[in-house]
Amino acid sequence: MPLSPLTRRRLLATTTATFAAAAAMAPLKALAQGVAPSKDQVLATMRKATTFMAEKAAYEGGYVWSYLPDFSRRFGEMEAFPTMIWVQPPGTATMGHLFLDAYHATGDDYYYEAAKKAAQALIKIQHPAGGWNYMGDLAGPESLKKWYDTIGRNGWRLEEFQHYYGNATFDDEGTAESCQLMLRIYLEKKDKAFKPALDKAIQFVLDAQYPNGGWPQRFPLSGGFENKGHPDYTGYITFNDGVVDENIKFLLMVWQTLGDKRVLDPIKRAMDIYIAAHQPMPQPGWGLQHTVADLKPAGARTYEPKAFASHTTAGNLENLMDYYQLTGDPKYLDRIPETIDWLAALKLPDNIAPGKPRYPTFIEIGANEPLYVHRRGSNVFNGEYFVDKHWENTIVHYSSFRSVNIDKLRKRYETLKATPPEVASKDSPLKVKGGSQALPRYFTTKDISVSDLNVGALKAAEGRTSEAQVAQLMSELNAEGWWPTPMKAVSNPYIGDGSMTVTPGEFSQTRVGDPTDTSPYIADVPKPGISTGAYIENMAALIRYVTA
């Protein structure tokens, strides 16, 4: 009896799925028989995965962080409109860097063209002043404003998205990473089409710097968002999230590749702001941000109080040691011991917050006592954050506790203190002729700090990726060409502004409030989706395999 059309379709679908499953398992079976993945097989996997991302996931060359398999919803740090692309890592600039790395690893022009498209997408949303916002909307500014007035406005814990400033930001390395991509894509083939965007990016970093060497979080300066009595924080000098240090790194790249002498004084002033803002004894630390006039610690978001910050202080000590290696100037080491001692004394006793990291995030100015952050209410309109000295029931989306490796800080300091300045700085890009040093060939094969809840920080590994890891990655790539990744981060779709009436329930220790809160949260049962971060991490692992 002949098969009906419906039966034939079902049989075809079953047969196709069976063949796809068998093909996926082939690399693991081959490895079990002692046959390692060949370079050609790995290159084919890389190309298949990239074709999907570049031709299916991308929007006009740009990317967000994750997508549902049918593309009905897409997300950066918050849900995005279909016409939006994300700048924060692991967004469009990170993808551009990965494509350039893949081009270097394979010589395949397909990757270079994908990198160009990513750079061109970023140029479309580059602020006229030269920097980048967290994201951009290729449908234009009115569509972006609509997003801020709806999804952004209702993200309770994501205060940086609740107000449309219309300028660019140095926060979360988005501008720094985009600047670096503009430099790399221009240097790759000296394509003059990218020179204007690069020139604007360099000028933006120079224009935004304060005379004392610091940078604001956002530029051009605008202010205008006094959140529930808290002053707008975006004009303060920002150490949080490596703003100053990331700008220094970019200007160093400009010096070593282009020899632009304009960047030398800004680099020096930026390094010196760490010394100028370093507070005196008996509290020799730093805050997340500092006021421009008197360089005192300042508050930021409403759950980031005016206080000292342990993790920022530890990071700034690492930066000062970096600057000794850049310059050979011992002034950058002078006050490190007293600050390490101060941090060490802040360690919490075991009976406070058992199981949490041992250092308080925030330390009260003048009292050296921990400050802990809590919240009440159910959404952005009726809720609020508050700070007290009770460690119980702190918010979960921004930890009141940090890990600080005191021993590591002391050891590095002692090593550098015993190293003569000329030896410590012998490999510094500041000690070579400008324009004479090439950039590293690979950017994404190292750890990349991101905010993506689905993947966390993108992890790198030393040396060649193992044959077993490569076979596993090859087997996990599905027939369409993407790696199914648990979509741990989900969010409520926008249903209208939240109410001033508190919704019944307990939201003090959740990532999300009532159903009007558009903040991302962790799904109870994650469903598979398409992850830009997973693609980058997996491709970097394959690059390490084919280039070893």
Side-chain angles (χ1 to χ4, degrees):
M1 179 183 294
L3 297 174
S4 70
L6 178 59
T7 302
R8 282 198 298 269
R9 286 197 295 271
R10 285 174 175 167
L11 181 61
L12 178 61
T14 302
T15 303
T16 301
T18 301
F19 279 127
M25 294 303 294
L28 290 174
K29 290 181 178 178
L31 186 63
Q33 297 170 1
V35 180
S38 71
K39 183 175 181 179
D40 285 346
Q41 289 174 318
V42 176
L43 292 178
T45 299
M46 293 169 62
R47 181 66 180 267
K48 181 178 180 179
T50 302
T51 299
F52 177 86
M53 294 301 290
E55 299 178 16
K56 297 288 182 64
Y59 182 77
E60 295 188 16
Y63 301 83
V64 293
W65 289 359
S66 56
Y67 311 78
L68 293 187
D70 63 358
F71 293 101
S72 59
R73 296 183 76 189
R74 59 195 69 207
F75 306 86
E77 190 162 13
M78 298 183 74
E79 185 167 4
F81 287 170
T83 54
M84 292 174 72
I85 65 174
W86 225 256
V87 179
Q88 287 169 284
T92 302
T94 324
M95 288 291 281
H97 284 297
L98 184 281
F99 294 142
L100 279 180
D101 290 355
Y103 173 62
H104 291 162
T106 66
D108 187 342
D109 278 331
Y110 186 82
Y111 296 108
Y112 176 70
E113 291 302 317
K116 283 179 60 177
K117 290 175 183 176
Q120 288 162 349
L122 287 170
I123 291 171
K124 291 175 185 176
I125 62 168
Q126 187 177 20
H127 190 275
W132 283 267
N133 191 20
Y134 296 104
M135 85 299 281
D137 194 326
L138 295 174
E142 290 307 312
S143 181
L144 183 59
K145 290 176 184 177
K146 180 181 178 182
W147 182 91
Y148 271 95
D149 288 340
T150 54
I151 294 173
R153 172 180 166 90
N154 282 275
W156 185 11
R157 68 178 182 82
L158 293 168
E159 296 176 8
E160 59 270 41
F161 298 121
Q162 292 172 8
H163 176 74
Y164 179 69
Y165 287 91
N167 55 10
T169 182
F170 288 111
D171 190 31
D172 285 349
E173 302 178 19
T175 284
E177 190 179 49
S178 298
C179 288
Q180 292 171 13
L181 180 62
M182 291 303 146
L183 180 61
R184 285 188 80 196
I185 199 75
Y186 168 70
L187 292 172
E188 189 64 43
K189 295 187 177 183
K190 296 293 178 69
D191 187 338
K192 294 181 179 179
F194 295 106
K195 191 65 162 55
L198 172 60
D199 288 342
K200 283 174 61 177
I202 296 171
Q203 193 62 51
F204 176 78
V205 177
L206 298 179
D207 289 344
Q209 189 180 32
Y210 288 121
N212 62 19
W215 275 278
Q217 191 199 68
R218 301 191 70 100
F219 188 80
L221 299 174
S222 64
F225 185 42
E226 295 186 2
N227 192 1
K228 298 183 178 179
H230 294 254
D232 192 292
Y233 58 88
T234 57
Y236 294 145
I237 293 170
T238 305
F239 294 108
N240 188 32
D241 290 330
V243 164
V244 176
D245 191 56
E246 286 298 323
N247 284 338
I248 290 173
K249 289 176 182 176
F250 172 62
L251 294 180
L252 282 170
M253 291 178 186
V254 171
W255 167 249
Q256 68 187 74
T257 58
L258 301 179
D260 189 337
K261 293 182 179 180
R262 293 179 303 159
V263 305
L264 292 177
D265 180 65
I267 290 171
K268 180 182 181 301
R269 285 188 287 118
M271 292 189 292
D272 286 350
I273 193 61
Y274 285 83
I275 295 175
H278 197 171
Q279 298 301 290
M281 290 289 284
Q283 291 183 296
W286 293 268
L288 299 178
Q289 297 189 294
H290 285 240
T291 55
V292 179
D294 61 8
L295 301 181
K296 299 298 182 184
R301 292 173 291 191
T302 63
Y303 49 84
E304 294 171 321
K306 179 180 178 180
F308 290 100
S310 60
H311 59 298
T312 300
T313 296
N316 286 3
L317 290 179
E318 292 280 11
N319 291 336
L320 285 173
M321 289 187 266
D322 290 343
Y323 304 153
Y324 174 64
Q325 291 184 281
L326 280 171
T327 65
D329 192 332
K331 71 181 181 182
Y332 295 109
L333 301 180
D334 285 347
R335 297 187 58 206
I336 289 178
E338 68 190 53
T339 307
I340 295 176
D341 290 343
W342 176 69
L343 279 175
L346 296 172
K347 187 175 182 180
L348 297 168
D350 292 340
N351 64 324
I352 292 182
K356 300 280 189 180
R358 291 293 81 205
Y359 293 85
T361 297
F362 297 115
I363 302 96
E364 186 177 13
I365 296 172
N368 250 23
E369 294 184 10
L371 298 174
Y372 301 106
V373 185
H374 313 268
R375 76 177 183 183
R376 53 189 162 228
S378 67
N379 62 49
V380 67
F381 295 99
N382 63 51
E384 66 173 343
Y385 289 89
F386 63 97
V387 175
D388 62 24
K389 297 185 180 180
H390 300 289
W391 58 264
E392 300 90 349
N393 301 320
T394 56
I395 59 175
V396 299
H397 65 80
Y398 192 100
S399 181
S400 288
F401 308 91
R402 301 286 166 154
S403 295
V404 177
N405 193 332
I406 296 293
D407 290 340
K408 180 182 175 183
L409 289 170
R410 286 195 196 280
K411 184 176 181 180
R412 187 182 177 198
Y413 167 75
E414 294 296 342
T415 298
L416 289 177
K417 183 68 175 176
T419 305
E422 65 277 7
V423 177
S425 61
K426 64 181 177 64
D427 296 321
S428 169
L430 291 174
K431 298 296 180 74
V432 300
K433 181 181 178 182
S436 64
Q437 233 180 30
L439 295 176
R441 285 182 61 78
Y442 302 105
F443 273 50
T444 58
T445 53
K446 61 184 180 181
D447 288 353
I448 300 174
S449 174
V450 300
S451 304
D452 190 343
L453 292 176
N454 289 320
V455 297
L458 303 187
K459 298 294 194 302
E462 294 294 329
R464 191 182 197 225
T465 307
S466 72
E467 294 167 352
Q469 289 174 311
V470 169
Q472 187 70 38
L473 289 176
M474 293 171 66
S475 70
E476 291 173 349
L477 189 73
N478 67 16
E480 290 185 81
W482 51 279
W483 280 286
T485 304
M487 295 283 286
K488 293 182 288 186
V490 295
S491 68
N492 296 323
Y494 173 72
I495 58 173
D497 285 350
S499 169
M500 289 299 295
T501 302
V502 177
T503 301
E506 178 53 58
F507 305 105
S508 64
Q509 291 184 277
T510 58
R511 287 182 178 270
V512 68
D514 64 36
T516 66
D517 183 2
T518 53
S519 304
Y521 62 93
I522 304 300
D524 292 332
V525 182
K527 296 180 179 179
I530 302 157
S531 167
T532 300
Y535 165 81
I536 293 166
E537 191 168 71
N538 293 342
M539 283 286 290
L542 297 179
I543 287 170
R544 291 196 301 273
Y545 184 79
V546 299
T547 56

